Amino acid sequence: MRIAVIGGGIGGLTVSLALNKLNIENVVYESAPVLRADGAGLALGSNAISAFSVLGIADKVVQGSNRIKEFTIRNTDDKPLISRYSECILSDEFFHSYAIHRSTLHSVLSGSLSDTKIVTGKAVIDFKKNLKGVTLFFSDGSSGMFDYVIAADGINSVFRRKLVPASHLRYAGYYCWRGVADDFQPEDISSAVEYWGTGLRFGIVPLPAKQVYWFACINNHNDDPSLMKIQKDDLLESYKNFPASVSSLIEAVPAGKILLNRISDVTPIDNYAFRRIVLLGDAAHATTPNLGQGACLAIEDAATLYTLLKYNGDILESFEEFSRIRVPRAKYVVSQSRQTGALASMENPVGIMLRDLLFRMIPESVTEKQTRKILGFSAELN
Ligand SMILES: Cc1cc2nc3c(=O)[nH]c(=O)nc-3n(C[C@H](O)[C@H](O)[C@H](O)COP(=O)(O)OP(=O)(O)OC[C@H]3O[C@@H](n4cnc5c(N)ncnc54)[C@H](O)[C@@H]3O)c2cc1C
């Protein structure tokens, strides 16, 4: 049996590990010349750790991570608006949540994949499927026939575009800059914070080894490309009214190491399984980063597929069942994340005042319920 995993990102590597655990041979094809280990920090919610525990690598991931006990949204005067996450409200059935450097997670994943053949510098540009299999066409002119394909080729997935032509990227209305400051000691290493201003916000997430991950989202409703050219000095100017730690963190990252993303998600689709091809991770359900859940969902996908294949050896049936289970889950997270982004990027002062008032009135039990729904993942099948 020949299985191809397309994409050596977090989703592709995690699902390859899942297949290895089931002794299912697979090959990963990655378009980049080397497995990409760059990027900044990553929040790994309790749901991702739960999924990693199913795959047997939770301990290794946790070892390279920093435990986050509290995540609070604050205004620019440093006053709390709402608690996004608090470890103490979650019961024992939940794993803890963590933050990790992306390169550390990539190392843990690729280090656990000694049995996988990973072919880099090989991009799929097209495919054809028939009853017997899927033919992949690569950018170097070669092609190959596979029995099954797991498409984890990210937000611009070649597979999703062809299989679900109506799906499209939805620009979220803001750009996001990210950096990791070295040798930086935050006041409380177990607390993450996001400061919400008017049309811009700034997040601070402590990582292990005195590193701090930050992200800065600034509204750009008209998608003006000139904002792409923003320099570090412009960022400092934009955030000058935020708490002092914000400027220190921006200062601490060399300009060349600050990353920029134009934030989009994908219009939710109703099916991830197309007989011998299944979509996974961002290829299936890219979300805005407002809840820090995109990679977590990809990891959940891999653990779910693992459990389905383990208890039902039939791959086609498992793909179908995977889609049935994952579509509603991902739709919920994508929509919650988009709504959070809309609240976070408000500009109208009256609207902001009402939002903040509403936040103060929301009973803890309501936020707790939402947190539980987002972080509560079990790969156990009902
Ligand atoms: C600003 C920002 C902050 C974020 N923060 C968080 C966070 O804190 N927590 C969280 O859980 N998520 C976060 N995310 C989301 C997370 O980065 C993604 O959801 C996650 O990386 C998806 O993994 P993936 O493997 O599905 O896709 P990708 O990481 O995009 O990997 C796809 C891989 O496929 C390769 N590829 C693409 N096309 C082809 C092709 N045709 N042939 C072969 N290979 C191909 C690519 O090179 C890439 O390596 C954030 C995203 C952004 C933009």
Side-chain angles (χ1 to χ4, degrees), residues 74-119:
R74 294 175 168 269
N75 64 17
T76 49
D77 295 328
D78 213 356
K79 302 245 163 57
L81 292 175
I82 194 165
S83 163
R84 172 71 61 74
Y85 167 77
S86 172
E87 196 175 84
C88 60
I89 62 164
L90 297 177
S91 52
D92 289 347
E93 85 231 40
F94 280 81
F95 285 80
H96 295 135
S97 291
Y98 294 85
I100 192 168
H101 199 295
R102 279 178 190 253
S103 61
T104 310
L105 181 58
H106 264 261
S107 303
V108 171
L109 289 172
S110 45
S112 309
L113 284 175
S114 50
D115 297 340
T116 301
K117 185 173 171 204
I118 300 177
V119 186

Side-chain angles (χ1 to χ4, degrees), residues 6-12 29-31 36 42-43 102 122-124 152-154 158 176 178 213 261 263 280-282 289 292-296 298:
I6 313 305
I10 293 168
Y29 290 102
E30 164 57 47
S31 56
R36 206 178 34 154
L42 197 66
R102 279 178 190 253
K122 207 148 165 105
V124 173
D153 52 338
V158 167
C176 183
R178 287 176 292 164
Y213 160 50
N261 288 89
I263 301 300
L280 180 142
D282 274 11
Q293 277 293 321
C296 297

Side-chain angles (χ1 to χ4, degrees), residues 79-370:
K79 302 245 163 57
L81 292 175
I82 194 165
S83 163
R84 172 71 61 74
Y85 167 77
S86 172
E87 196 175 84
C88 60
I89 62 164
L90 297 177
S91 52
D92 289 347
E93 85 231 40
F94 280 81
F95 285 80
H96 295 135
S97 291
Y98 294 85
I100 192 168
H101 199 295
R102 279 178 190 253
S103 61
T104 310
L105 181 58
H106 264 261
S107 303
V108 171
L109 289 172
S110 45
S112 309
L113 284 175
S114 50
D115 297 340
T116 301
K117 185 173 171 204
I118 300 177
V119 186
T120 53
K122 207 148 165 105
V124 173
I125 51 167
D126 198 7
F127 63 93
K128 262 193 194 140
K129 61 187 178 94
N130 59 32
L131 286 179
K132 287 192 184 148
V134 183
T135 307
L136 298 179
F137 301 96
F138 297 99
S139 51
D140 59 6
S142 63
S143 61
M145 175 89 167
F146 293 85
D147 297 302
Y148 302 97
V149 170
I150 300 177
D153 52 338
I155 190 167
N156 293 306
S157 171
V158 167
F159 292 85
R160 190 194 63 247
R161 284 175 190 273
K162 188 163 173 180
L163 294 165
V164 194
S167 75
H168 59 270
L169 299 195
R170 289 187 301 194
Y171 172 55
Y174 38 87
Y175 286 10
C176 183
W177 288 259
R178 287 176 292 164
V180 173
D182 291 322
D183 212 10
F184 203 97
Q185 194 67 59
E187 248 171 59
D188 178 359
I189 190 175
S190 63
S191 289
V193 62
E194 206 174 303
Y195 295 110
W196 286 8
T198 304
L200 78 174
R201 56 199 143 118
F202 195 92
I204 302 175
V205 186
L207 298 174
K210 284 180 150 183
Q211 287 191 311
V212 175
Y213 160 50
W214 59 257
F215 53 90
C217 292
I218 302 183
N219 287 1
N220 183 9
H221 297 300
N222 300 326
D223 204 4
D224 174 3
S226 67
L227 217 69
M228 290 269 182
K229 295 191 192 116
I230 267 199
Q231 302 290 319
K232 194 166 146 174
D233 283 348
D234 303 314
L235 275 184
L236 286 166
E237 177 63 23
S238 301
Y239 286 97
K240 67 178 181 206
N241 295 327
F242 278 56
S245 56
V246 169
S247 298
S248 315
L249 280 164
I250 298 173
E251 287 280 14
V253 180
K257 290 203 165 169
I258 297 178
L259 306 171
L260 166 61
N261 288 89
R262 176 183 174 276
I263 301 300
S264 302
D265 63 7
V266 169
T267 48
I269 60 176
D270 295 325
N271 180 30
Y272 303 155
F274 303 84
R275 275 196 63 77
R276 291 172 179 274
I277 302 174
V278 72
L279 304 176
L280 180 142
D282 274 11
H285 45 61
T287 176
T288 52
N290 303 301
L291 298 176
Q293 277 293 321
C296 297
L297 284 180
I299 297 158
E300 282 188 9
D301 284 350
T304 305
L305 199 53
Y306 168 79
T307 310
L308 288 166
L309 290 167
K310 186 173 168 187
Y311 293 109
N312 177 358
D314 187 288
I315 295 186
L316 291 181
E317 281 178 21
S318 297
F319 282 3
E320 290 285 332
E321 189 59 15
F322 169 83
S323 177
R324 264 193 294 278
I325 294 172
R326 297 304 295 161
V327 166
R329 164 79 175 145
K331 274 189 180 175
Y332 173 75
V333 175
V334 168
S335 97
Q336 291 293 309
S337 184
R338 238 187 130 76
Q339 280 173 32
T340 303
L343 288 172
S345 53
M346 286 175 81
E347 289 175 355
N348 180 311
V350 179
I352 290 177
M353 203 181 69
L354 291 174
R355 176 198 71 194
D356 295 354
L357 198 67
L358 188 75
F359 277 168
R360 280 187 207 109
M361 285 160 52
I362 294 177
E364 217 173 66
S365 58
V366 173
T367 35
E368 185 185 326
K369 200 171 159 201
Q370 193 205 26

